[in-house]
Amino acid sequence: MKHHKGKIIGFVILAGLFVTWLVTSYLMSMQARSAIPIPLTFTGEYCQGNDEWKPLSGSTTINALDGELRLHGHFNDVFPQTNLHFYLEHLEAWLIVNDQEPILLTLSDHEWSQEDWNVKWLNWYNESITSDDTVEIRLINHHPLGNPRAYQDFLTNLFMGNTKTFENFILHPLDFMMRSQNEFTMLEDVLVCGQLWRTLGTFIIVLSLLLLGVAFADDVTASLFGDSLWSMGGLSLFAGGLMWLDTMDSSLLAMPADLAVCGAQICRMMIGLCMGMYVTTFLNGKWKTANQIAAMVVGFADAVITLLCLRGTVLLRNTLIPWCTLQGMWLVLMSLGCMIRLRQVERKIAPQLYAALLLLVTMGMELLNARFGWWHRGIGFNTVFLATFIVFLVWTVRSVPQAYRAQKRVTEQENELIQSRVAITLSQIQPHFLYNALTAIARLCDLDPQKAKKTTVDFSEYLRGNLDSLTQTLPVPFSTELKHTQIYLDIEKVRFGDKLNVEYDIGAEDFMIPSLSVQPLVENAVKYGLGKKKEGGTIWLSTKEEANGWRVTIRDDGAGFDRSEPVSDGRSHIGIENVRRRVEMQSKGTLDIQSRLEIGTKAEIWIPKGDIVNDDSMCGRRTAGA
């Protein structure tokens, strides 16, 4: 017995601890259940405007657009000496108990302020009302855009219980639901009221700050993404802020009462501006200009509205109709620009434009939803934005390494372009050409001094043009390249005389072309086309503008060559390839050469309309073309 005495004492202690744990858990569970606010229902009849009284039931749908609402009946299961909690969405609410004096629930007087207009939960201490008392409630909708769900939200969100417990319940509904088996008739509203959207909003704000950090790093290094990262980062930041503030429980958060409504509206304003900035990165031409002007107008209007409301000059609710009208017009402009741009862009950019267009349409639907109440509290925009944000995030994660690999390739191409400019410049200043030109000038000094003087000036202009091309990083006007080519031909005509004939058909000059792209092709026609024919020949130089670009044609009736045979003159081949590479890199154009023996050669340069590339900064920045 003594041997087992210690074991028995240990067993009793363990059993006592287990029973204590069970009792404590039971008491805590009962306390938790009793602490959960009690949902209330209002039973009776209602009258809206001048209509007749109708019975009120759980399936009754009441539209706040149809005028003032009067409710007559009683609260079910209500107790005196308790706190009642009402959800007021831009409503003025009056309570009349047993035909006594009306009690104004929303205000201490009849003067409205920003705070009074806010969406909020109202805590009202019930001194004596019981389920047997007759209660009349008057609700007046002050929302300028309609707010059709306001009366319905009031009726489905009536609670009784301790104020602190109620606030914890609304701010953290999922915690209470896991602790209680009670069923709530407004389960959807409880879930939407804040905790879910605040969690998602916090997540998006954190990711938006990361996006803005990447945008800053990109801006100070290579600027591969332009303004798209900045705009999407800002859009995400304010969308996350809107998810925080535009919820049923925003008035219960630890912040000034006006901040919820004013902060939410400022977030909407900034979302519109950031969206405009994002869309502008894809537009071009007159649509880009129009969107930039609209952004300045809307931004100025937003700033004026914000300042007037902060000074108390106007109430924010009185600015909603003009603001929504202006915002709606801008959304239409941006949507049209996106749809037109979709017909022009590359396939890899199209998904971003489709996502932007979807978000624009959703923002427009949200403006209409404020009037017609199709869904609850921005769920449409929040859901679509989350999907769009995920798409953009995935695109960013995939694009950053691709963009930096592309940047590395662009740097290599830039070095090639520099070497190409040097090589082609040196190829134009060859010893035999200098010797021939100077010899021709010396011969003219005796025969025709005036022509010798002109040729000397032409020769110096030719040399200066070639040397200038070493530092030329942008395409030049075609007229500049044409003048350089004409100077070269004038010098060669001194040597060849009547054996070199030139005909011009210049149908267009108002476009840009890489420097030293036409003259080397003309030189090849002279040296390897006409120069190999005893009788010489003719060179035709023509340009014309087409629907999508410009075409430059250099044609000769010289010796020609067989393209199936290898090129015997390495220097000529290098010069042509340099021209081809620079036309492709700087103008996104093409060079096509066709030739037939004893017939001649034709070289065509095609310059598409659109943007041109500065090869000193080919890191994603673009320079407007002609």
Side-chain angles (χ1 to χ4, degrees):
M1 184 70 179
K2 293 181 180 180
H3 179 70
H4 297 286
K5 185 176 181 180
K7 293 183 178 181
I8 294 174
I9 294 175
F11 176 81
V12 171
I13 293 174
L14 290 176
L17 291 174
F18 179 75
V19 172
T20 303
W21 176 77
L22 286 179
V23 173
T24 303
S25 299
Y26 176 77
L27 293 176
M28 291 178 64
S29 175
M30 292 298 295
Q31 181 182 4
R33 292 184 182 183
S34 62
I36 293 178
I38 301 173
L40 298 178
T41 57
F42 189 87
T43 303
E45 54 185 358
Y46 73 98
C47 173
Q48 196 165 12
N50 296 322
D51 294 342
E52 298 180 353
W53 287 92
K54 301 175 184 178
L56 182 67
S57 64
S59 60
T60 301
T61 300
I62 305 174
N63 193 328
L65 301 178
D66 296 336
E68 175 185 339
L69 177 67
R70 287 184 294 165
L71 304 169
H72 188 272
H74 61 273
F75 291 107
N76 293 330
D77 302 323
V78 67
F79 303 104
Q81 307 296 315
T82 57
N83 290 308
L84 302 185
H85 307 279
F86 306 99
Y87 180 65
L88 302 172
E89 191 171 0
H90 319 295
L91 296 178
E92 179 181 350
W94 294 81
L95 188 67
I96 304 173
V97 182
N98 298 325
D99 297 325
Q100 297 177 7
E101 285 295 319
I103 302 171
L104 182 60
L105 297 180
T106 46
L107 305 170
S108 57
D109 52 45
H110 292 274
E111 295 297 325
W112 283 77
S113 67
Q114 302 286 15
E115 177 181 349
D116 299 319
W117 180 78
N118 192 9
V119 177
K120 61 182 180 181
W121 286 96
L122 176 70
N123 172 37
W124 185 74
Y125 182 69
N126 173 29
E127 292 186 358
S128 58
I129 297 177
T130 66
S131 299
D132 298 327
D133 290 318
T134 301
V135 177
E136 181 176 340
I137 301 175
R138 291 178 56 198
L139 300 176
I140 304 172
N141 180 20
H142 286 281
H143 198 292
L145 292 178
N147 192 29
R149 296 177 60 98
Y151 296 160
Q152 205 70 32
D153 288 341
F154 174 86
L155 289 172
T156 55
N157 291 283
L158 300 172
F159 288 92
M160 178 179 66
N162 176 269
T163 300
K164 187 62 178 178
T165 304
F166 171 76
E167 291 181 359
N168 289 332
F169 166 69
I170 295 298
L171 292 172
H172 308 285
L174 297 178
D175 297 342
F176 280 82
M177 289 176 62
M178 289 186 293
R179 290 162 47 191
S180 173
Q181 302 300 320
N182 291 353
E183 295 183 0
F184 297 95
T185 57
M186 31 28 94
L187 178 61
E188 177 185 353
D189 289 340
V190 170
L191 291 175
V192 174
C193 72
Q195 189 173 10
L196 176 62
W197 289 122
R198 281 201 311 278
T199 302
L200 292 174
T202 303
F203 177 71
I204 289 177
I205 289 174
V206 172
L207 290 181
S208 70
L209 294 176
L210 292 177
L211 274 179
L212 292 173
V214 173
F216 178 77
D218 176 69
D219 209 38
V220 298
T221 54
S223 190
L224 301 175
F225 296 95
D227 293 330
S228 61
L229 278 180
W230 281 110
S231 54
M232 181 51 73
L235 176 63
S236 305
L237 179 65
F238 290 106
L242 185 61
M243 290 181 186
W244 251 87
L245 297 173
D246 191 30
T247 56
M248 290 181 67
D249 62 348
S250 59
S251 65
L252 302 179
L253 298 173
M255 62 177 68
D258 289 354
L259 183 59
V261 62
C262 294
Q265 184 61 15
I266 290 175
C267 285
R268 292 187 187 96
M269 292 176 176
M270 296 305 301
I271 285 172
L273 292 175
C274 291
M275 193 67 206
M277 180 180 172
Y278 181 68
V279 171
T280 301
T281 61
F282 297 102
L283 302 182
N284 58 8
K286 61 181 181 181
W287 286 101
K288 186 177 188 126
T289 303
N291 194 61
Q292 289 172 335
I293 294 174
M296 289 188 288
V297 172
V298 173
F300 178 76
D302 290 346
V304 171
I305 289 173
T306 303
L307 289 175
L308 291 177
C309 291
L310 291 177
R311 288 173 55 89
T313 307
V314 297
L315 294 179
L316 184 58
R317 63 189 175 97
N318 294 332
T319 67
L320 281 184
I321 291 179
W323 181 82
C324 287
T325 302
L326 186 61
Q327 196 77 12
M329 294 170 62
W330 190 25
L331 290 176
V332 171
L333 177 65
M334 287 191 285
S335 300
L336 289 175
C338 284
M339 288 187 287
I340 292 175
R341 187 63 175 149
L342 275 170
R343 302 171 59 184
Q344 306 170 350
V345 297
E346 302 173 5
R347 182 177 300 178
K348 64 180 181 180
I349 301 178
Q352 300 172 63
L353 270 175
Y354 278 118
L357 185 59
L358 177 61
L359 201 55
L360 288 172
V361 172
T362 307
M363 291 169 67
M365 296 295 289
E366 282 291 343
L367 292 179
L368 295 175
N369 182 61
R371 176 69 174 83
F372 299 105
W374 295 319
W375 54 76
H376 200 281
R377 304 200 60 78
I379 292 178
F381 171 79
N382 291 347
T383 305
V384 173
F385 174 77
L386 283 172
T388 305
F389 180 74
I390 292 172
V391 169
F392 184 84
L393 204 61
V394 171
W395 174 82
T396 302
V397 171
R398 294 181 58 184
S399 297
V400 168
Q402 294 175 0
Y404 277 95
R405 285 195 296 268
Q407 165 64 17
K408 184 178 179 180
R409 291 195 299 268
V410 165
T411 303
E412 295 172 353
Q413 291 177 349
E414 181 183 359
N415 293 331
E416 290 178 9
L417 278 174
I418 296 174
Q419 296 172 5
S420 172
R421 291 201 306 271
V422 174
I424 200 165
T425 300
L426 294 176
S427 72
Q428 302 309 108
I429 312 176
Q430 299 171 22
H432 75 273
F433 175 73
L434 296 176
Y435 172 79
N436 291 336
L438 292 173
T439 300
I441 292 172
R443 189 165 55 249
L444 283 174
C445 288
D446 295 328
L447 301 175
D448 190 345
Q450 289 297 323
K451 191 172 183 180
K453 180 179 180 180
K454 178 181 181 302
T455 305
T456 302
V457 173
D458 288 343
F459 186 60
S460 66
E461 288 289 332
Y462 173 78
L463 292 177
R464 185 171 66 179
N466 283 336
L467 293 174
D468 287 345
S469 68
L470 285 171
T471 58
Q472 183 63 49
T473 62
L474 282 172
V476 298
F478 175 76
S479 57
T480 301
E481 181 68 10
L482 176 62
K483 180 181 178 181
H484 186 70
T485 303
Q486 289 172 332
I487 291 174
Y488 166 77
L489 287 170
D490 288 342
I491 296 172
E492 291 289 48
K493 280 182 69 68
V494 173
R495 291 179 54 211
F496 288 95
D498 295 337
K499 291 183 179 182
L500 173 59
N501 300 302
V502 182
E503 293 186 11
Y504 297 97
D505 180 16
I506 308 302
E509 291 188 44
D510 189 20
F511 63 96
M512 310 293 283
I513 194 168
S515 177
L516 286 184
S517 55
V518 175
Q519 188 271 332
L521 299 176
V522 171
E523 182 176 348
N524 276 350
V526 172
K527 293 170 60 177
Y528 304 107
L530 307 187
K532 292 186 177 182
K533 291 183 68 173
K534 185 176 182 179
E535 67 277 15
T538 303
I539 293 176
W540 291 269
L541 175 57
S542 64
T543 63
K544 65 177 180 178
E545 182 177 2
E546 300 179 359
N548 298 319
W550 296 270
R551 192 176 301 277
V552 181
T553 304
I554 301 100
R555 183 168 60 88
D556 67 76
D557 57 0
F561 62 92
D562 187 354
R563 299 199 64 184
S564 63
E565 295 181 1
V567 180
S568 58
D569 189 289
R571 184 177 294 129
S572 170
H573 177 66
I574 291 173
I576 291 175
E577 287 306 311
N578 278 337
V579 172
R580 189 191 310 277
R581 185 181 301 110
R582 288 185 302 111
V583 167
E584 291 176 354
M585 290 183 179
Q586 288 189 294
S587 299
K588 302 300 181 183
T590 59
L591 169 62
D592 180 59
I593 297 179
Q594 301 175 7
S595 185
R596 294 176 61 185
L597 283 173
E598 304 303 328
I599 300 296
T601 302
K602 182 173 75 170
E604 283 190 343
I605 297 176
W606 167 253
I607 305 295
K609 292 182 178 179
D611 293 346
I612 58 178
V613 180
N614 177 351
D615 61 311
D616 261 356
S617 58
M618 294 176 61
C619 309
R621 301 191 181 202
R622 307 287 285 178
T623 305

Short mmCIF file of all heavy atoms in Angstrom, two decimals, residues 351-374:
data_model
loop_
_atom_site.label_atom_id
_atom_site.label_comp_id
_atom_site.label_asym_id
_atom_site.label_seq_id
_atom_site.Cartn_x
_atom_site.Cartn_y
_atom_site.Cartn_z
N PRO A 351 -1.77 41.74 -73.25
CA PRO A 351 -2.40 41.35 -71.97
C PRO A 351 -2.45 42.49 -70.96
O PRO A 351 -3.44 42.61 -70.22
CB PRO A 351 -1.51 40.20 -71.48
CG PRO A 351 -0.91 39.63 -72.72
CD PRO A 351 -0.71 40.80 -73.64
N GLN A 352 -1.44 43.33 -70.90
CA GLN A 352 -1.46 44.46 -69.97
C GLN A 352 -2.54 45.47 -70.36
O GLN A 352 -3.21 46.03 -69.49
CB GLN A 352 -0.10 45.14 -69.97
CG GLN A 352 1.05 44.22 -69.54
CD GLN A 352 2.38 44.89 -69.74
OE1 GLN A 352 2.66 45.91 -69.12
NE2 GLN A 352 3.22 44.35 -70.59
N LEU A 353 -2.72 45.68 -71.65
CA LEU A 353 -3.76 46.60 -72.10
C LEU A 353 -5.14 46.04 -71.83
O LEU A 353 -6.06 46.76 -71.44
CB LEU A 353 -3.58 46.90 -73.59
CG LEU A 353 -2.69 48.09 -73.94
CD1 LEU A 353 -2.51 48.21 -75.44
CD2 LEU A 353 -3.28 49.39 -73.39
N TYR A 354 -5.32 44.74 -72.05
CA TYR A 354 -6.61 44.11 -71.74
C TYR A 354 -6.92 44.22 -70.25
O TYR A 354 -8.06 44.50 -69.85
CB TYR A 354 -6.60 42.63 -72.16
CG TYR A 354 -6.88 42.42 -73.62
CD1 TYR A 354 -5.93 41.83 -74.45
CD2 TYR A 354 -8.10 42.79 -74.18
CE1 TYR A 354 -6.18 41.62 -75.81
CE2 TYR A 354 -8.36 42.60 -75.53
CZ TYR A 354 -7.40 42.02 -76.33
OH TYR A 354 -7.65 41.82 -77.68
N ALA A 355 -5.90 43.99 -69.41
CA ALA A 355 -6.09 44.12 -67.95
C ALA A 355 -6.45 45.55 -67.58
O ALA A 355 -7.34 45.80 -66.76
CB ALA A 355 -4.84 43.66 -67.22
N ALA A 356 -5.75 46.53 -68.20
CA ALA A 356 -6.05 47.94 -67.92
C ALA A 356 -7.47 48.28 -68.36
O ALA A 356 -8.20 48.99 -67.66
CB ALA A 356 -5.04 48.83 -68.63
N LEU A 357 -7.87 47.78 -69.53
CA LEU A 357 -9.21 48.06 -70.04
C LEU A 357 -10.28 47.45 -69.12
O LEU A 357 -11.31 48.08 -68.83
CB LEU A 357 -9.36 47.50 -71.46
CG LEU A 357 -10.66 47.80 -72.19
CD1 LEU A 357 -10.88 49.31 -72.32
CD2 LEU A 357 -10.67 47.16 -73.56
N LEU A 358 -10.03 46.23 -68.64
CA LEU A 358 -10.97 45.59 -67.72
C LEU A 358 -11.10 46.40 -66.43
O LEU A 358 -12.20 46.59 -65.90
CB LEU A 358 -10.50 44.17 -67.40
CG LEU A 358 -11.34 43.38 -66.39
CD1 LEU A 358 -12.77 43.21 -66.90
CD2 LEU A 358 -10.71 42.02 -66.11
N LEU A 359 -9.97 46.90 -65.94
CA LEU A 359 -10.00 47.70 -64.71
C LEU A 359 -10.73 49.02 -64.93
O LEU A 359 -11.47 49.49 -64.06
CB LEU A 359 -8.57 47.96 -64.23
CG LEU A 359 -8.37 48.33 -62.76
CD1 LEU A 359 -9.01 47.30 -61.85
CD2 LEU A 359 -6.89 48.46 -62.44
N LEU A 360 -10.54 49.63 -66.10
CA LEU A 360 -11.24 50.88 -66.42
C LEU A 360 -12.74 50.66 -66.48
O LEU A 360 -13.53 51.46 -65.95
CB LEU A 360 -10.74 51.42 -67.76
CG LEU A 360 -9.33 52.03 -67.78
CD1 LEU A 360 -8.91 52.34 -69.20
CD2 LEU A 360 -9.27 53.30 -66.94
N VAL A 361 -13.16 49.56 -67.10
CA VAL A 361 -14.60 49.26 -67.18
C VAL A 361 -15.16 49.03 -65.78
O VAL A 361 -16.26 49.50 -65.45
CB VAL A 361 -14.83 48.02 -68.07
CG1 VAL A 361 -16.29 47.58 -68.00
CG2 VAL A 361 -14.45 48.34 -69.52
N THR A 362 -14.40 48.32 -64.95
CA THR A 362 -14.86 48.08 -63.57
C THR A 362 -14.97 49.37 -62.78
O THR A 362 -15.92 49.56 -62.01
CB THR A 362 -13.89 47.11 -62.86
OG1 THR A 362 -13.73 45.94 -63.66
CG2 THR A 362 -14.44 46.72 -61.51
N MET A 363 -14.02 50.29 -62.97
CA MET A 363 -14.09 51.58 -62.28
C MET A 363 -15.33 52.36 -62.73
O MET A 363 -16.00 52.99 -61.91
CB MET A 363 -12.82 52.39 -62.56
CG MET A 363 -11.58 51.81 -61.90
SD MET A 363 -10.02 52.56 -62.48
CE MET A 363 -10.20 54.22 -61.84
N GLY A 364 -15.64 52.28 -64.02
CA GLY A 364 -16.86 52.92 -64.51
C GLY A 364 -18.10 52.28 -63.92
O GLY A 364 -19.06 52.98 -63.55
N MET A 365 -18.10 50.95 -63.80
CA MET A 365 -19.24 50.25 -63.20
C MET A 365 -19.39 50.62 -61.73
O MET A 365 -20.52 50.71 -61.22
CB MET A 365 -19.06 48.74 -63.35
CG MET A 365 -19.06 48.25 -64.79
SD MET A 365 -20.65 48.50 -65.61
CE MET A 365 -21.65 47.29 -64.77
N GLU A 366 -18.27 50.86 -61.03
CA GLU A 366 -18.35 51.27 -59.63
C GLU A 366 -19.00 52.64 -59.50
O GLU A 366 -19.75 52.89 -58.55
CB GLU A 366 -16.95 51.29 -59.00
CG GLU A 366 -16.42 49.92 -58.62
CD GLU A 366 -17.18 49.31 -57.46
OE1 GLU A 366 -17.90 50.03 -56.74
OE2 GLU A 366 -17.08 48.08 -57.28
N LEU A 367 -18.72 53.54 -60.44
CA LEU A 367 -19.37 54.86 -60.41
C LEU A 367 -20.88 54.70 -60.57
O LEU A 367 -21.67 55.35 -59.88
CB LEU A 367 -18.81 55.74 -61.53
CG LEU A 367 -17.35 56.20 -61.38
CD1 LEU A 367 -16.95 57.05 -62.58
CD2 LEU A 367 -17.14 56.98 -60.10
N LEU A 368 -21.30 53.82 -61.49
CA LEU A 368 -22.72 53.58 -61.68
C LEU A 368 -23.32 52.83 -60.49
O LEU A 368 -24.49 53.05 -60.13
CB LEU A 368 -22.95 52.79 -62.97
CG LEU A 368 -22.56 53.50 -64.27
CD1 LEU A 368 -22.73 52.56 -65.46
CD2 LEU A 368 -23.42 54.75 -64.47
N ASN A 369 -22.51 51.94 -59.88
CA ASN A 369 -23.01 51.16 -58.75
C ASN A 369 -23.36 52.05 -57.56
O ASN A 369 -24.26 51.74 -56.78
CB ASN A 369 -21.96 50.13 -58.33
CG ASN A 369 -22.43 49.26 -57.19
OD1 ASN A 369 -23.42 48.54 -57.32
ND2 ASN A 369 -21.74 49.33 -56.07
N ALA A 370 -22.65 53.19 -57.42
CA ALA A 370 -22.99 54.13 -56.34
C ALA A 370 -24.41 54.65 -56.50
O ALA A 370 -25.06 55.02 -55.52
CB ALA A 370 -21.99 55.28 -56.33
N ARG A 371 -24.88 54.67 -57.74
CA ARG A 371 -26.24 55.15 -57.99
C ARG A 371 -27.28 54.03 -57.96
O ARG A 371 -28.39 54.20 -57.45
CB ARG A 371 -26.28 55.83 -59.37
CG ARG A 371 -27.67 56.31 -59.80
CD ARG A 371 -28.12 57.47 -58.93
NE ARG A 371 -29.37 58.04 -59.40
CZ ARG A 371 -30.58 57.57 -59.11
NH1 ARG A 371 -30.69 56.50 -58.34
NH2 ARG A 371 -31.66 58.17 -59.56
N PHE A 372 -26.92 52.84 -58.47
CA PHE A 372 -27.91 51.78 -58.63
C PHE A 372 -27.77 50.63 -57.63
O PHE A 372 -28.68 49.82 -57.50
CB PHE A 372 -27.85 51.22 -60.05
CG PHE A 372 -28.16 52.25 -61.10
CD1 PHE A 372 -27.16 52.80 -61.88
CD2 PHE A 372 -29.47 52.68 -61.30
CE1 PHE A 372 -27.43 53.76 -62.84
CE2 PHE A 372 -29.75 53.64 -62.26
CZ PHE A 372 -28.74 54.18 -63.04
N GLY A 373 -26.63 50.52 -56.94
CA GLY A 373 -26.47 49.52 -55.89
C GLY A 373 -26.54 48.09 -56.36
O GLY A 373 -27.21 47.26 -55.75
N TRP A 374 -25.81 47.74 -57.43
CA TRP A 374 -25.84 46.37 -57.94
C TRP A 374 -25.13 45.40 -57.01
O TRP A 374 -25.50 44.24 -56.91
CB TRP A 374 -25.18 46.31 -59.32
CG TRP A 374 -25.95 47.08 -60.36
CD1 TRP A 374 -27.31 47.12 -60.52
CD2 TRP A 374 -25.41 47.95 -61.36
NE1 TRP A 374 -27.65 47.93 -61.56
CE2 TRP A 374 -26.50 48.47 -62.11
CE3 TRP A 374 -24.13 48.34 -61.72
CZ2 TRP A 374 -26.34 49.33 -63.17
CZ3 TRP A 374 -23.96 49.20 -62.79
CH2 TRP A 374 -25.06 49.69 -63.49
#
